[in-house]
Every structure is written in structure tokens, then in C-alpha cells.
Amino acid sequence: MRRSYKVKFINDCDSVLNNEINSEIMKFDRNSFFNNIEELPVLQNKVEMNSKTDLVIIGTGMVGITLAARAWHLGFKGDRITLIDGNEYFAENFFRRTKNSEQKIMRSSFIHHVAPNEDINLADFTRLKHNELTNIEKEQLTLARMGERSLPSLDIFLEHVKHVVINHNLHKRAFKFSADSIEQNTTGKWIISDSEGQKIESKYVVLAMGQSPKENMYKEHSINAHVDNFKNYLNEKVKTVNIIGGGNTSAHIVKSCLDRNLKVNWIIRNEENYACTDIPHKYWRDEGYLKFSQMTLDKRMEEIKRIYKGSAMLEHKGIFDDYKKDNALTVFDNATIQEIDKNKTIILQNKTRVESDLIISTIGFELKKLPQIKNGINTFNGFPVLNDSTLEAEGLKNLFIASSHSALSLGPAAKNIDGARIASERIFKELAKREGIEKYNVKNILENLTNWSRNTPVLKK
Ligand SMILES: Cc1cc2nc3c(=O)[nH]c(=O)nc-3n(C[C@H](O)[C@H](O)[C@H](O)COP(=O)(O)OP(=O)(O)OC[C@H]3O[C@@H](n4cnc5c(N)ncnc54)[C@H](O)[C@@H]3O)c2cc1C
């Protein structure tokens, strides 16, 4: 039995009333109703895809969904928009990565979600599902409505994502198609091809391609938890687990193993670190974006690298402190791995030998490789160079880049859900101008509110 769950804030959190983190939230007392990937909206077969459209969004992750829902309100719907993705389901990467690590609570708060301003937001959506909420979810919703720091459950978040996809008909416009190359034809239209030679032509293209797990440098002796489901490797012979990596995925797996009464050695390259979110709050606010935009590219790069160090959620802290007292958890931080032997022993540079029955590696993500872009794309330290105001790629008219690849313009939060909102505001403000659309027409906004969001029934299970 765990004893205490409360720790004082040690980071800048969004809170006025609360000065304690309640780790009870991590226990989450309902079996998930969003366990099965097949509950996510599915992409269509590419043979059904038109060969011409006005706007192609590459990527149907959280960022692609946010962009497409925003585009819907500017009239990019029906044949005018096509979403493509190599995956089978919307939000598939996020679903697999969070479920693989048994994450049940979002790390970001209620204000970070995929719906544009005109639509029902995550807190309102959650309120409409009040009857189905657990006590913890109800408590978090109350905090959210008070403007306090509050975390939605993953289930509710994913239900909301699904709601946004279906209510903007995005599933009818999305196709399983992996972009291999992109080139501009003589009329200035973009031609996107896959490896089988199928093509789609579009006036505008927005890339929202996310990150892929880094190559597991210890793959001979460990599993990569960003790709493999660690639970498949647990059996009665596994009593002690070595977990490599100090980020959010690691922390969830550490907790899952400890909760299964396994002994855990946690090997972290940097300091053991707990934070409200992986990106400091200032980058979720105008002042953060403004400050970043005033830096030189070199300074921006330094800042991105500095911020991208992994951290566990603040809610993990109290739980892990208790497990440490019980000697179930041992943390080796500031640790450099020298060698891993075939008996699953990790030898650190200071000669400490850390024995285990299973090694789980979670060493983070890197930018997903871009499709081949004819005539190339300007990059700085691997990140595309974009127009800060519009996120259009330098010298590539009508090709815009969001998600992790836009970090050089948007800052560290580009890879997060909040970054998607900022990206879509910048890109579609420009597209609205180019298309002569009155985006900020109050009448349209009110019509959308009354005709669309408010009257749309909440999806029932
Ligand atoms: C365990 C975990 C927990 C997290 N929790 C949070 C959180 O609480 N809050 C938060 O803000 N962020 C969180 N994040 C960060 C999170 O990953 C992002 O916020 C979000 O999922 C990123 O969405 P994305 O669309 O950029 O990337 P993805 O979801 O990876 O989507 C990119 C899509 O592009 C597709 N794609 C890539 N290349 C091509 C191509 N050539 N052709 C066609 N399709 C292509 C991919 O198949 C993929 O579907 C978390 C991340 C992890 C791993």
C-alpha cells in the first residue's frame, strides 16, 4: 500500500488555489472505455481518393486533426480538402504511444485540445459527459472550470478528438497514403506521390508529420517501449526491470512495473526531473511565443535543445518517493551507460553494475523524415526554415509546415497540442487572406456556434 501522495509544487504550474499536487489522480478508478484502437476513426483506402484537391494535409495525428478542423470553418471541406497518412487510424501514434506506457491521464491541461475556437472545447465536452465520469474526472473538470491546473483523462481527451474528427467529416476525407515525394508543377500546384506512383495534386499543402522513435542503440539487449508493448515481455521470470530514459513514457512504465510488484532500476542520463508539463508554460502563452520569435536562429536552437530534455509528470513524484522508501525503486541519475551485457546487466561508466531480468529502453523521439521535396528545403540544424508569421517553407510557395518540424518558428511547444492551435492560427490566417475569406466574420462565428457545435449531440458509447 502506498502511503502519502502529496507533494508541494516544485515547478511553475497553472494554479492559484492549489499548492499541492495530488498524485491520487494517477490511480484513476475506472477501467478505460477507450481501450481498443478500432474505436478511433479509420482512414479510407487510397483507391477512393480524388487526384485533385485544394488543400492536402499530410498527417492525421493531433496536429493534422487540429489543422483540418480549423480548415473546415474556412470552407475547406468536401472535395476541397484531403488528409493523407501512412497509418490506418486517426491519432494512431498518440494512441499507441500512450496506451503502450499505460498512461491514463493527459500531461497537458484541459485548455490543450484539437477543436478550433468555434467548436465545443474539451472542458464543455467533458461536462456534457458528466454522468459517465469518475470522481477524479469530475474533480479535475471542476478545477478546469475554475481556471485551475487540471488534467483530463486520456479517455475523455480521445473521445473529444474522435468527436472533432467525425463532426467535421474528416474521416470521409482521409486516406491511407504515405507521401514519398512532393514537387511543384509548372502551374504552381503541388504534386504529392507515394512509393507506388499514385499522385494527388493540390494548391496548398500542410505537413503535420510528427516525430518517430529514435533508433534503440541497445536493441540487442533491450526492448524499445515506444514501439513494443512492454507488457508482452513480462512473465513470472521477470522480477527486476532496468528502465532507461528519464521522460514521460519511462515514468509511466516505471510506475506500471512498480504497481505490478516488480523491482525497478531507473537509469537516467540527466537529473531525475519532475515537471508539470514537458514544455514550460511560458511557451504556451503569447509572451513565450513572442520572446522566442525575437531570438536568433542559433539561440532558438539552443532553447529547443535545452527544453527538450525529458521529465516525469509532477504527479509521479509522491508515488515514486514512497516506492523508493520501500526499496522497490532505485534511481541512477546522471548515469552514463558504458555497456550492457547479455545477462541484462547494465554497466555504468562509474563501474556500477545494475542487474535485471528485462531492459526497457525509452530514449525519446526525433523529427520524422520529410518526404523528398524536389529542389530541396532550407533547414537549420535539421529543422525547416519557415516564415514565422505564416509557417510557409522558405522559397516554397503554398507549402506550410506545422507540428514538430515548425519548432524553429513556433518554439518548443510546436510538438505539443498547444503548438497545433498556434500553427493553425498562423497558417489559416494567411490562407484566408490568399483565398479572400472573411475569417473573422462575427455572423459566421455565431452561426457556427448555434447551428453546429451546440446542437451536435455528444457521441454516446
Ligand atoms: C506518451 C506520450 C504522451 C504525450 N502526452 C502529451 C500531452 O499530454 N500533451 C501534449 O500536448 N502532448 C503530449 N505528447 C506529445 C504528443 O506526441 C503530441 O502532442 C501530439 O501527439 C503530436 O501530434 P502530431 O500530429 O505532431 O504527431 P503524430 O501524432 O505522430 O502524427 C503525425 C502523423 O503524420 C504521419 N506521417 C508522417 N510522415 C508521413 C508521410 N510521409 N506520409 C503520410 N503520413 C505521414 C504519421 O503516420 C502520423 O500519423 C505526448 C507524447 C507521448 C509520446
Side-chain angles (χ1 to χ4, degrees):
M1 271 295 283
R2 310 264 55 83
R3 293 179 291 263
S4 67
Y5 284 100
K6 303 231 166 165
V7 289
K8 292 273 179 212
F9 280 175
I10 53 169
N11 284 77
D12 65 328
C13 295
D14 270 342
S15 184
V16 179
L17 298 175
N18 267 339
N19 69 348
E20 281 187 329
I21 289 290
N22 187 353
S23 300
E24 286 288 328
I25 186 177
M26 298 300 259
K27 291 210 301 197
F28 197 63
D29 50 358
R30 164 164 57 67
N31 277 334
S32 170
F33 57 67
F34 217 116
N35 260 328
N36 194 340
I37 195 160
E38 283 161 17
E39 293 190 36
L40 292 172
V42 69
L43 275 69
Q44 302 196 46
N45 192 311
K46 65 177 183 175
V47 296
E48 309 289 337
M49 188 173 84
N50 289 349
S51 59
K52 288 187 181 177
T53 188
D54 291 334
L55 168 63
V56 165
I57 295 176
I58 306 183
T60 58
M62 295 306 167
V63 178
I65 294 169
T66 308
L67 293 164
R70 152 63 60 223
W72 187 95
H73 289 277
L74 295 178
F76 289 100
K77 46 181 124 172
D79 291 348
R80 295 201 64 206
I81 185 169
T82 301
L83 288 87
I84 58 175
D85 198 306
N87 282 343
E88 212 157 314
Y89 300 95
F90 279 84
E92 182 173 328
N93 285 355
F94 184 81
F95 181 91
R96 287 191 192 283
R97 289 168 189 169
T98 47
K99 292 289 171 183
N100 269 1
S101 62
E102 299 195 320
Q103 180 171 346
K104 291 180 178 168
I105 302 288
M106 290 294 288
R107 189 170 190 175
S108 51
S109 67
F110 272 90
I111 51 170
H112 302 299
H113 58 80
V114 299
N117 291 342
E118 290 90 336
D119 298 343
I120 190 161
N121 65 41
L122 179 56
D124 278 346
F125 179 84
T126 308
R127 182 175 54 85
L128 293 172
K129 292 186 82 73
H130 206 261
N131 288 346
E132 298 169 55
L133 301 183
T134 63
N135 288 339
I136 288 175
E137 285 170 317
K138 283 179 186 162
E139 184 191 282
Q140 292 301 307
L141 176 62
T142 307
L143 287 171
R145 295 175 75 76
M146 289 160 72
E148 282 290 302
R149 178 173 188 274
S150 53
L151 306 182
S153 68
L154 213 76
D155 279 0
I156 289 291
F157 180 82
L158 285 170
E159 277 288 311
H160 182 239
V161 169
K162 185 170 162 181
H163 176 86
V164 169
V165 169
I166 290 173
N167 282 290
H168 293 92
N169 271 325
L170 305 184
H171 55 312
K172 302 218 170 112
R173 305 300 317 145
F175 301 88
K176 185 166 162 27
F177 179 105
S178 198
D180 200 44
S181 65
I182 308 180
E183 65 179 297
Q184 214 162 12
N185 69 14
T186 47
T187 64
K189 296 272 174 66
W190 288 99
I191 313 291
I192 303 150
S193 312
D194 72 0
S195 60
E196 291 170 348
Q198 187 170 341
K199 295 181 193 306
I200 177 161
E201 179 188 301
S202 177
K203 181 171 180 187
Y204 302 109
V205 180
V206 186
L207 310 188
M209 295 178 31
Q211 298 175 302
S212 46
K214 278 188 190 155
E215 167 93 10
N216 180 9
M217 54 186 140
Y218 312 111
K219 61 176 166 240
E220 257 182 77
H221 305 300
S222 71
I223 61 160
N224 181 354
H226 293 308
V227 181
D228 303 312
N229 191 331
F230 77 96
K231 293 180 285 290
N232 296 338
Y233 296 82
L234 301 180
N235 55 49
E236 67 281 1
K237 286 192 190 141
V238 175
K239 306 268 191 265
T240 303
V241 184
N242 283 350
I243 299 176
I244 305 172
N248 186 39
T249 303
S250 290
H252 279 94
I253 295 174
V254 167
K255 179 180 176 299
S256 298
C257 289
L258 290 166
D259 289 348
R260 288 177 166 86
N261 292 323
L262 299 172
K263 224 169 164 311
V264 173
N265 298 312
W266 194 12
I267 320 264
I268 306 173
R269 189 178 48 182
N270 300 310
E271 299 257 295
E272 182 183 353
N273 185 18
Y274 300 87
C276 273
T277 63
D278 57 343
I279 305 293
H281 286 81
K282 66 178 172 186
Y283 286 110
W284 290 354
R285 305 213 171 89
D286 288 347
E287 70 263 27
Y289 288 109
L290 181 66
K291 193 162 175 227
F292 189 79
S293 72
Q294 290 165 342
M295 295 177 187
T296 61
L297 288 191
D298 277 320
K299 277 264 170 270
R300 291 183 193 191
M301 220 37 245
E302 263 175 41
E303 190 64 355
I304 291 167
K305 282 188 187 149
R306 189 177 69 80
I307 301 283
Y308 276 4
K309 290 202 178 106
S311 60
M313 284 169 67
L314 211 46
E315 282 74 10
H316 283 119
K317 176 90 171 61
I319 299 171
F320 289 174
D321 282 350
D322 282 347
Y323 275 119
K324 283 181 200 170
K325 280 183 212 147
D326 294 346
N327 292 322
L329 172 64
T330 309
V331 177
F332 298 83
D333 65 352
N334 293 309
T336 305
I337 296 175
Q338 190 173 62
E339 190 190 331
I340 301 184
D341 75 14
K342 59 180 181 341
N343 299 320
K344 316 246 179 276
T345 297
I346 294 180
I347 300 137
L348 301 179
Q349 211 165 46
N350 66 7
K351 305 296 173 217
T352 307
R353 295 176 65 83
V354 190
E355 293 177 7
S356 74
D357 307 307
L358 174 70
I359 302 179
I360 302 174
S361 172
T362 58
I363 45 175
F365 295 91
E366 60 193 4
L367 289 182
K368 176 89 191 187
K369 192 166 174 282
L370 290 176
Q372 203 186 333
I373 298 177
K374 200 169 176 202
N375 299 332
I377 181 164
N378 275 352
T379 58
F380 185 80
N381 279 273
F383 286 85
V385 179
L386 311 175
N387 176 317
D388 282 350
S389 312
T390 64
L391 303 189
E392 190 169 36
E394 202 174 71
L396 300 173
K397 188 155 193 281
N398 293 338
L399 187 130
F400 299 84
I401 301 192
S403 177
S404 311
H405 296 81
S406 62
L408 210 51
S409 287
L410 287 189
K415 73 179 173 71
N416 287 64
I417 291 150
D418 184 65
R421 178 179 59 81
I422 303 291
S424 68
E425 287 310 320
R426 293 200 192 173
I427 293 170
F428 290 115
K429 197 166 167 207
E430 182 62 18
L431 252 65
K433 208 161 84 191
R434 290 184 194 182
E435 291 289 299
I437 299 166
E438 287 280 337
K439 184 183 152 204
Y440 293 107
N441 181 324
V442 174
K443 185 168 168 283
N444 282 349
I445 291 174
L446 289 178
E447 271 173 13
N448 278 330
L449 276 176
T450 48
N451 295 343
W452 189 85
S453 295
R454 299 297 173 208
N455 294 335
T456 304
V458 176
L459 292 176
K460 278 269 171 241
K461 282 278 303 165

